[in-house]
């Protein structure tokens, strides 16, 4: 007969108590880290602080000029209502700085400088706002503005007016005129042009439009608040002209033009449209995609082995921030010279906020710009839209016309293209550009004589 010693019985009892204790005690879960305001949202989840960015660097990036909110790029309020009312002149004095949301983004900008709104003769609505903003005492980050935008309910889609955005500074203003005229001449649809230029070009462009055959177009003309990109642009490649603030102005269209809804087509100033813009306007974007681009690996536009077409040609994959995104370096880049935007999805995903933050961060760290492909305004798009954009027909962006002075396209092929794009250093208003005859069909001479088109033996 087996004998049980007191010590054996005690050990068994202890084991039973421990087992009961383990299965009856409630389990606790560790709460995830709460992200602070200084965290930067990145497209693939996580935040830049998790990638090792120190707090002082983030303070420099987000300090004084956090995009839209910093200088109060205005309040649409009453001003936007006037945009669809009657022509006239609105003047006002700046009030005290106030918290911004999407419904007060444009009016304060106009008020701070006593902005002038000049009516559009054809459409009967104000169309010119010249604004120069003084920094607010109380500043709010672009991330907060983007958050307010995202909370707005999606409007009922209306497609009776096609929205087109073109940006330019005084050096490329003739390109803007040709681009606008090409759209206008090749469609019967109602197009509203949103024209964003530097301050000195506002009266110049208005005069150019009003004194020529463009006087009947529907347009809204504004001066870009360059403080939105102050201390954020770092040009590392040879083409210093790509560092113009207007080259980045398209990032901020929801802030500058908050009345734009549903859809928008963005066109580079060095392009002309030969097709009907209605076709591009009506293209279907995949669910959840905020934009459509034409990639650089298309057999139609890829005509030279010297042309860079991969992410590795533009982004610095040695940088730990870029590495952490887990992007494929061999991914085809895409040209941002023309693209279609689902405005509601853009706001929902806070695209402006993301582009702005990558732009600001690159000013302090080399994320892009020193690679073979160079690049300034394009690489932030590659990061934000990685594997999240709709493919656009390559016929709507036949490019590299400005890459060299030697033509790589036949005249027959170019005649069939929907859009011609002189991306590169050789612009169609310059002396040695190729296929300038296709561009000159839409160029309208400057009645003020300020903008000159240079040709080998004359100026136009």
């Amino acid at each position: 007969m087996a004998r049980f010693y007191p010590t054996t019985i005690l050990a068994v009892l202890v084991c039973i108590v421990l087992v009961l204790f383990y299965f009856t005690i409630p389990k606790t879960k560790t709460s995830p880290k709460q992200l602070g305001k200084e965290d930067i949202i990145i497209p693939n989840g996580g935040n830049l602080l998790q990638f090792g960015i120190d707090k002082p660097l983030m303070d420099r990036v987000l300090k004084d000029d956090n995009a839209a909110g910093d200088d109060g790029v205005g309040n649409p309020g009453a001003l936007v209502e006037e945009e669809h009312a009657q022509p006239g002149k609105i003047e006002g004095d700046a009030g005290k700085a106030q918290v911004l949301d999407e419904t007060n983004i444009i009016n304060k900008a106009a008020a701070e400088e006593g902005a002038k709104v000049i009516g559009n003769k054809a459409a009967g609505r104000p169309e010119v706002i010249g604004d120069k903003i003084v920094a607010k005492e109380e500043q709010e980050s672009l991330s907060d503005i983007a958050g307010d935008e995202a909370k707005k309910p999606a409007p009922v889609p209306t497609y009776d007016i096609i929205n087109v955005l073109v940006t330019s500074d005084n050096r490329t203003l003739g390109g803007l005129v040709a681009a606008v005229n090409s759209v206008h001449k090749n469609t019967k649809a109602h197009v509203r042009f949103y024209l964003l230029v530097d301050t000195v070009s506002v009266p110049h462009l208005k005069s150019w439009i009003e004194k020529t055959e463009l006087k009947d177009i529907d347009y809204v003309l504004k001066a870009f608040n360059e403080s939105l990109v102050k201390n954020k642009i770092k040009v590392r490649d040879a083409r210093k002209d790509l560092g113009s603030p207007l080259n980045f102005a398209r990032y901020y269209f929801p802030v500058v033009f908050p009345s734009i809804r549903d859809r928008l087509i963005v066109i580079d100033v060095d392009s002309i449209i030969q097709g009907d813009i209605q076709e591009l306007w009506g293209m279907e974007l995949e669910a959840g995609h905020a934009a459509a681009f034409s990639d650089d690996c298309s057999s139609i536009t890829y005509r030279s082995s010297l042309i860079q077409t991969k992410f590795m040609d533009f982004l610095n994959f040695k940088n730990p921030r870029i590495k952490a995104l887990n992007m494929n370096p061999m991914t085809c880049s895409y040209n941002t010279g023309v693209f279609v935007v689902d405005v509601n999805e853009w706001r929902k995903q806070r695209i402006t906020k993301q582009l702005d933050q990558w732009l600001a961060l690159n000013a302090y760290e080399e994320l892009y710009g020193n690679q073979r492909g160079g690049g300034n305004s394009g690489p932030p798009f590659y990061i934000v839209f990685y594997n999240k954009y709709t493919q656009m027909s390559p016929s709507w962006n036949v490019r590299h016309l400005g890459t060299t002075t030697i033509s790589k396209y036949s005249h027959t092929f170019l005649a069939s293209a929907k859009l011609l794009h002189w991306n590169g250093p050789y612009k169609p208003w310059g002396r040695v550009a190729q296929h300038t005859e296709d561009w000159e069909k839409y160029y309208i001479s400057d009645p003020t004589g300020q903008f000159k088109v240079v040709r080998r033996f004359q100026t136009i």
Side-chain angles (χ1 to χ4, degrees), residues 43-58:
N44 293 331
N47 62 86
L48 290 177
L49 288 181
Q50 293 172 331
F51 296 153
I53 296 182
D54 58 352
K55 185 67 165 58
L57 172 58
M58 290 310 305

Side-chain angles (χ1 to χ4, degrees), residues 296-316:
D296 287 328
C297 296
S298 164
S299 60
I300 292 180
T301 57
Y302 181 51
R303 295 295 180 102
S304 172
S305 60
L306 298 177
I307 295 172
Q308 288 74 47
T309 62
K310 309 295 183 184
F311 273 26
M312 63 181 291
D313 296 324
F314 299 93
L315 299 173
N316 178 16

Side-chain angles (χ1 to χ4, degrees), residues 206-251:
K206 184 188 183 317
S207 175
W208 202 332
I209 292 173
E210 296 295 332
K211 294 180 179 180
T212 64
E213 59 196 85
L214 292 178
K215 63 181 180 298
D216 293 328
I217 66 170
D218 179 2
Y219 70 102
V220 181
L221 172 60
K222 292 185 181 179
F224 179 55
N225 172 22
E226 296 184 8
S227 64
L228 287 175
V229 293
K230 182 181 179 182
N231 299 326
K232 296 177 183 178
I233 301 173
K234 178 72 171 181
V235 180
R236 294 185 172 91
D237 62 17
R239 291 191 58 197
K240 303 304 181 184
D241 59 306
L242 294 180
S244 166
L246 271 300
N247 199 32
F248 302 86
R250 52 192 169 169
Y251 290 7

